[in-house]
Amino acid sequence: GQQVMQIPQYQHVQEGEDFTTYCNSSTTLSNIQWYKQRPGGHPVFLIQLVKSGEVKKQKRLTFQFGEAKKNSSLHITATQTTDVGTYFCAGPTFTGGGNKLTFGTGTQLKVEL
Amino acid sequence: KAGVTQTPRYLIKTRGQQVTLSCSPISGHRSVSWYQQTPGQGLQFLFEYFSETQRNKGNFPGRFSGRQFSNSRSEMNVSTLELGDSALYLCASSSSWQVANTEAFFGQGTRLTVV
């Protein structure tokens, strides 16, 4: 079946260091979404990318959608303790009834002072 | 406006029992999807509803069922509970006819523990 994988699974960084998580789909995606889930919380939408090669920035966060629309990345510059959480990419994958939102395996980020 | 509301927040059930979880989407949203989240399996799609019709179903046994009402509220039911059903159950709603099309708004989830 269609899969969405993320690497790394875990990342520990010192505050101030950069962080990148990579998302790879087995199929072309019409769009890619990113979500953040704080410990004990629920996923919260960060952004959606639609165009091939698209790059979007939100303050210290930079999101990219690959040219082939099969991969994406999230880069955080100068991490802060507030960045702690699990970052998921998600994209539409086709089933018999239409598209469902398939989530990547997630990257858990821990930031140490 | 109010966010997605899931009730109850926590549940403890014994094996063999059944459970019903509720989800009220954001006002005006007609598509609702359900996910099971466990440490080992991540976020797994259960099903999706739009205008009271189940549009999609994930790879879960028939013990997992759901429905959507005319006011877009949704319920999911798990019968004959097993220990492996212990998980965080998340509901999401969207302004699109299909949750995968645009931003999904998640509820805080129902933490189900089966003992």
Side-chain angles (χ1 to χ4, degrees):
Chain A
Q2 295 163 308
Q3 291 186 321
V4 182
M5 305 296 293
Q6 280 182 256
I7 55 170
Q9 188 175 2
Y10 302 99
Q11 186 79 61
H12 288 205
V13 299
Q14 296 288 320
E15 189 177 41
E17 291 182 336
D18 292 357
F19 160 77
T20 304
T21 172
Y22 300 91
C23 174
N24 292 287
S25 169
S26 59
T27 59
T28 300
L29 301 171
S30 60
N31 74 79
I32 192 86
Q33 300 173 30
W34 285 91
Y35 292 80
K36 176 183 178 181
Q37 185 173 21
R38 294 180 186 273
H42 59 280
V44 175
F45 175 84
L46 294 175
I47 207 160
Q48 181 182 39
L49 305 172
V50 177
K51 299 176 183 176
S52 169
E54 188 169 13
V55 178
K56 286 189 177 181
K57 292 188 176 184
Q58 288 180 349
K59 297 183 180 178
R60 296 178 293 104
L61 278 61
T62 302
F63 303 84
Q64 288 188 308
F65 199 9
E67 294 289 340
K69 301 184 79 172
K70 295 178 71 173
N71 56 72
S72 181
S73 65
L74 158 59
H75 179 81
I76 302 178
T77 303
T79 54
Q80 300 175 358
T81 54
T82 53
D83 296 324
V84 165
T86 301
Y87 292 84
F88 293 96
C89 62
T93 56
F94 183 76
T95 67
N99 285 329
K100 65 176 183 180
L101 191 60
T102 296
F103 281 81
T105 46
T107 296
Q108 186 177 349
L109 173 65
K110 292 191 176 181
V111 180
E112 299 171 356
L113 292 171
Chain B
K1 53 185 175 182
V4 178
T5 304
Q6 290 188 246
T7 57
R9 291 289 312 279
Y10 302 93
L11 265 178
I12 300 177
K13 291 285 189 178
T14 56
R15 279 179 297 174
Q17 285 187 311
Q18 73 161 15
V19 67
T20 299
L21 312 181
S22 178
C23 171
S24 293
I26 290 173
S27 178
H29 287 189
R30 290 194 291 161
S31 57
V32 172
S33 57
W34 288 88
Y35 299 85
Q36 181 195 66
Q37 186 174 33
T38 58
Q41 296 297 316
L43 278 152
Q44 298 291 312
F45 173 81
L46 280 158
F47 21 65
E48 180 166 320
Y49 290 88
F50 178 76
S51 292
E52 302 178 67
T53 300
Q54 186 180 88
R55 294 191 59 256
N56 249 320
K57 192 176 191 304
N59 296 323
F60 280 82
R63 301 184 297 107
F64 291 80
S65 63
R67 59 179 175 170
Q68 187 180 34
F69 302 94
S70 59
N71 62 357
S72 295
R73 189 177 71 85
S74 179
E75 288 182 347
M76 67 163 282
N77 182 277
V78 188
S79 62
T80 319
L81 284 166
E82 301 177 359
L83 294 178
D85 297 333
S86 295
L88 179 66
Y89 289 87
L90 291 160
C91 159
S93 74
S94 168
S95 59
S96 172
W97 62 276
Q98 192 169 242
V99 172
N101 286 352
T102 188
E103 177 179 0
F105 294 84
F106 281 84
Q108 293 184 304
T110 294
R111 173 73 63 185
L112 171 64
T113 302
V114 182
V115 297

